[in-house]
Short mmCIF file of all heavy atoms in Angstrom, two decimals:
data_model
loop_
_atom_site.label_atom_id
_atom_site.label_comp_id
_atom_site.label_asym_id
_atom_site.label_seq_id
_atom_site.Cartn_x
_atom_site.Cartn_y
_atom_site.Cartn_z
N PHE A 274 -82.31 31.80 27.31
CA PHE A 274 -81.49 30.77 27.94
C PHE A 274 -82.14 29.39 27.77
O PHE A 274 -83.29 29.17 28.16
CB PHE A 274 -81.30 31.07 29.44
CG PHE A 274 -80.31 30.14 30.08
CD1 PHE A 274 -78.98 30.50 30.23
CD2 PHE A 274 -80.70 28.87 30.49
CE1 PHE A 274 -78.06 29.61 30.78
CE2 PHE A 274 -79.79 27.98 31.04
CZ PHE A 274 -78.47 28.36 31.18
N PHE A 319 -76.69 16.25 36.65
CA PHE A 319 -76.30 17.02 35.48
C PHE A 319 -75.17 17.98 35.83
O PHE A 319 -74.78 18.13 36.99
CB PHE A 319 -77.50 17.75 34.88
CG PHE A 319 -78.05 18.88 35.70
CD1 PHE A 319 -77.67 20.19 35.44
CD2 PHE A 319 -78.97 18.67 36.72
CE1 PHE A 319 -78.17 21.26 36.18
CE2 PHE A 319 -79.48 19.73 37.47
CZ PHE A 319 -79.08 21.02 37.19
N GLU A 320 -74.66 18.63 34.80
CA GLU A 320 -73.62 19.65 34.95
C GLU A 320 -74.02 20.86 34.12
O GLU A 320 -74.92 20.78 33.26
CB GLU A 320 -72.26 19.14 34.44
CG GLU A 320 -71.36 18.58 35.51
CD GLU A 320 -71.13 19.55 36.66
OE1 GLU A 320 -70.74 20.70 36.41
OE2 GLU A 320 -71.33 19.15 37.82
N GLY A 321 -73.38 21.96 34.36
CA GLY A 321 -73.57 23.15 33.53
C GLY A 321 -72.19 23.74 33.26
O GLY A 321 -71.44 24.02 34.20
N MET A 322 -71.83 23.86 32.01
CA MET A 322 -70.52 24.43 31.64
C MET A 322 -70.77 25.40 30.50
O MET A 322 -71.85 25.44 29.94
CB MET A 322 -69.59 23.33 31.14
CG MET A 322 -69.31 22.27 32.15
SD MET A 322 -68.03 21.18 31.51
CE MET A 322 -68.95 20.07 30.60
N LYS A 323 -69.71 26.11 30.11
CA LYS A 323 -69.86 26.99 28.95
C LYS A 323 -68.64 26.94 28.05
O LYS A 323 -67.51 26.73 28.54
CB LYS A 323 -70.08 28.44 29.40
CG LYS A 323 -71.52 28.76 29.80
CD LYS A 323 -71.63 30.20 30.22
CE LYS A 323 -73.07 30.56 30.56
NZ LYS A 323 -73.13 31.85 31.28
N HIS A 340 -65.35 20.27 36.56
CA HIS A 340 -66.71 19.81 36.21
C HIS A 340 -66.76 18.28 36.18
O HIS A 340 -67.75 17.68 36.60
CB HIS A 340 -67.14 20.40 34.87
CG HIS A 340 -67.55 21.84 34.97
ND1 HIS A 340 -68.74 22.24 35.53
CD2 HIS A 340 -66.91 22.98 34.61
CE1 HIS A 340 -68.82 23.56 35.50
NE2 HIS A 340 -67.71 24.04 34.94
N ARG A 343 -66.94 17.17 39.69
CA ARG A 343 -68.24 17.39 40.34
C ARG A 343 -69.30 16.42 39.84
O ARG A 343 -70.09 15.89 40.62
CB ARG A 343 -68.70 18.85 40.17
CG ARG A 343 -69.92 19.15 41.02
CD ARG A 343 -70.25 20.61 41.06
NE ARG A 343 -70.67 21.10 39.76
CZ ARG A 343 -70.99 22.36 39.52
NH1 ARG A 343 -70.93 23.26 40.50
NH2 ARG A 343 -71.36 22.75 38.32
N TYR A 385 -73.83 27.28 26.20
CA TYR A 385 -74.04 26.55 27.45
C TYR A 385 -74.01 25.05 27.16
O TYR A 385 -74.62 24.57 26.20
CB TYR A 385 -75.40 26.95 28.05
CG TYR A 385 -75.65 26.34 29.41
CD1 TYR A 385 -75.02 26.85 30.54
CD2 TYR A 385 -76.51 25.26 29.56
CE1 TYR A 385 -75.24 26.29 31.80
CE2 TYR A 385 -76.73 24.70 30.81
CZ TYR A 385 -76.09 25.22 31.92
OH TYR A 385 -76.30 24.67 33.16
N ILE A 386 -73.27 24.32 27.97
CA ILE A 386 -73.10 22.88 27.76
C ILE A 386 -73.79 22.14 28.89
O ILE A 386 -73.51 22.40 30.07
CB ILE A 386 -71.59 22.51 27.74
CG1 ILE A 386 -70.85 23.35 26.67
CG2 ILE A 386 -71.40 21.03 27.48
CD1 ILE A 386 -69.34 23.18 26.71
N ARG A 387 -74.68 21.26 28.55
CA ARG A 387 -75.44 20.53 29.57
C ARG A 387 -75.20 19.03 29.46
O ARG A 387 -75.87 18.33 28.72
CB ARG A 387 -76.92 20.88 29.40
CG ARG A 387 -77.92 20.07 30.23
CD ARG A 387 -77.63 20.03 31.71
NE ARG A 387 -77.63 21.30 32.39
CZ ARG A 387 -78.71 21.92 32.90
NH1 ARG A 387 -79.88 21.34 32.79
NH2 ARG A 387 -78.59 23.07 33.53
N TYR A 417 -78.65 34.70 32.07
CA TYR A 417 -79.60 33.71 32.61
C TYR A 417 -80.85 34.40 33.15
O TYR A 417 -81.97 33.99 32.85
CB TYR A 417 -78.92 32.91 33.73
CG TYR A 417 -79.84 31.86 34.30
CD1 TYR A 417 -80.17 30.74 33.55
CD2 TYR A 417 -80.41 32.00 35.56
CE1 TYR A 417 -81.04 29.78 34.05
CE2 TYR A 417 -81.27 31.05 36.06
CZ TYR A 417 -81.58 29.95 35.30
OH TYR A 417 -82.45 29.00 35.79
N TYR A 418 -80.66 35.45 33.93
CA TYR A 418 -81.82 36.14 34.51
C TYR A 418 -82.33 37.20 33.54
O TYR A 418 -81.55 37.79 32.79
CB TYR A 418 -81.44 36.83 35.83
CG TYR A 418 -80.98 35.86 36.90
CD1 TYR A 418 -79.68 35.90 37.40
CD2 TYR A 418 -81.84 34.89 37.40
CE1 TYR A 418 -79.26 35.00 38.38
CE2 TYR A 418 -81.43 33.99 38.37
CZ TYR A 418 -80.14 34.05 38.86
OH TYR A 418 -79.73 33.17 39.81
N LYS A 445 -75.37 17.74 42.15
CA LYS A 445 -76.18 18.42 41.14
C LYS A 445 -77.20 17.39 40.66
O LYS A 445 -77.15 16.87 39.53
CB LYS A 445 -75.28 18.95 40.01
CG LYS A 445 -75.69 20.35 39.61
CD LYS A 445 -74.61 21.08 38.87
CE LYS A 445 -75.19 22.20 38.00
NZ LYS A 445 -75.98 23.20 38.69
N TYR A 450 -83.53 20.47 41.89
CA TYR A 450 -84.06 21.61 41.14
C TYR A 450 -85.58 21.50 41.04
O TYR A 450 -86.29 22.48 41.27
CB TYR A 450 -83.36 21.69 39.77
CG TYR A 450 -81.89 22.02 39.94
CD1 TYR A 450 -80.98 21.04 40.34
CD2 TYR A 450 -81.43 23.32 39.80
CE1 TYR A 450 -79.64 21.34 40.56
CE2 TYR A 450 -80.09 23.63 40.02
CZ TYR A 450 -79.20 22.63 40.40
OH TYR A 450 -77.88 22.95 40.64
N PHE A 454 -88.92 24.41 42.46
CA PHE A 454 -89.74 25.23 41.54
C PHE A 454 -90.96 25.86 42.22
O PHE A 454 -91.31 27.00 41.93
CB PHE A 454 -90.18 24.40 40.33
CG PHE A 454 -89.03 23.96 39.44
CD1 PHE A 454 -89.15 22.87 38.59
CD2 PHE A 454 -87.82 24.63 39.45
CE1 PHE A 454 -88.09 22.46 37.78
CE2 PHE A 454 -86.75 24.24 38.65
CZ PHE A 454 -86.89 23.15 37.82
N GLN A 467 -85.67 35.12 42.84
CA GLN A 467 -85.38 33.77 43.31
C GLN A 467 -85.49 33.70 44.82
O GLN A 467 -85.58 34.72 45.50
CB GLN A 467 -83.95 33.36 42.90
CG GLN A 467 -83.82 32.74 41.51
CD GLN A 467 -84.56 31.41 41.38
OE1 GLN A 467 -84.90 30.77 42.38
NE2 GLN A 467 -84.83 30.99 40.15
N GLY A 483 -79.81 28.34 44.87
CA GLY A 483 -80.41 27.26 44.05
C GLY A 483 -79.96 27.38 42.61
O GLY A 483 -79.52 26.40 42.02
N THR A 484 -80.05 28.58 42.04
CA THR A 484 -79.54 28.80 40.69
C THR A 484 -78.14 29.41 40.73
O THR A 484 -77.55 29.64 39.67
CB THR A 484 -80.48 29.73 39.89
OG1 THR A 484 -80.79 30.86 40.71
CG2 THR A 484 -81.75 29.02 39.50
N MET A 485 -77.63 29.71 41.93
CA MET A 485 -76.26 30.26 42.05
C MET A 485 -75.84 30.23 43.52
O MET A 485 -76.67 30.13 44.42
CB MET A 485 -76.18 31.69 41.48
CG MET A 485 -77.06 32.71 42.17
SD MET A 485 -76.94 34.34 41.38
CE MET A 485 -77.98 35.32 42.49
N LEU A 505 -74.29 23.65 47.07
CA LEU A 505 -73.63 23.16 45.85
C LEU A 505 -72.21 23.72 45.77
O LEU A 505 -72.03 24.93 45.89
CB LEU A 505 -74.42 23.59 44.60
CG LEU A 505 -73.81 22.97 43.34
CD1 LEU A 505 -74.38 21.59 43.08
CD2 LEU A 505 -74.01 23.85 42.13
N THR A 509 -67.84 28.38 39.76
CA THR A 509 -67.63 29.83 39.70
C THR A 509 -67.39 30.36 41.12
O THR A 509 -66.56 31.25 41.33
CB THR A 509 -68.83 30.54 39.03
OG1 THR A 509 -69.20 29.80 37.87
CG2 THR A 509 -68.49 31.97 38.63
N SER A 549 -72.91 33.79 42.17
CA SER A 549 -72.00 33.28 41.16
C SER A 549 -72.47 31.90 40.70
O SER A 549 -73.01 31.12 41.48
CB SER A 549 -70.58 33.17 41.74
OG SER A 549 -70.55 32.18 42.76
N GLY A 550 -72.29 31.64 39.41
CA GLY A 550 -72.68 30.34 38.87
C GLY A 550 -72.31 30.29 37.40
O GLY A 550 -72.02 31.34 36.80
N THR A 551 -72.33 29.11 36.81
CA THR A 551 -72.01 29.02 35.38
C THR A 551 -73.05 29.79 34.58
O THR A 551 -72.72 30.62 33.74
CB THR A 551 -71.94 27.55 34.93
OG1 THR A 551 -70.91 26.92 35.67
CG2 THR A 551 -71.64 27.45 33.45
N ALA A 552 -74.33 29.51 34.84
CA ALA A 552 -75.38 30.20 34.10
C ALA A 552 -75.46 31.66 34.53
O ALA A 552 -75.53 32.56 33.71
CB ALA A 552 -76.72 29.49 34.32
N ALA A 553 -75.42 31.89 35.83
CA ALA A 553 -75.61 33.25 36.38
C ALA A 553 -74.36 34.13 36.21
O ALA A 553 -74.45 35.35 36.34
CB ALA A 553 -75.98 33.16 37.85
N VAL A 554 -73.20 33.54 35.99
CA VAL A 554 -71.89 34.22 35.92
C VAL A 554 -71.66 34.94 37.26
O VAL A 554 -71.52 34.28 38.28
CB VAL A 554 -71.78 35.18 34.70
CG1 VAL A 554 -70.31 35.56 34.47
CG2 VAL A 554 -72.34 34.53 33.43
C1 COI B 1890 -75.62 26.30 36.02
O1 COI B 1890 -75.28 27.39 36.49
O2 COI B 1890 -75.00 25.76 35.12
C2 COI B 1890 -76.78 25.59 36.54
O3 COI B 1890 -76.84 24.42 36.39
C3 COI B 1890 -77.88 26.35 37.15
C4 COI B 1890 -79.17 26.08 36.47
C5 COI B 1890 -80.23 26.62 37.32
C6 COI B 1890 -79.25 26.65 35.11
#
Side-chain angles (χ1 to χ4, degrees):
F274 188 96
F319 70 96
E320 264 306 308
M322 299 188 274
K323 278 180 177 166
H340 283 286
R343 189 170 66 182
Y385 185 77
I386 304 173
R387 171 53 61 86
Y417 182 70
Y418 298 117
K445 223 161 157 58
Y450 294 78
F454 294 158
Q467 273 296 342
T484 47
M485 61 183 184
L505 185 86
T509 316
S549 66
T551 299
V554 194

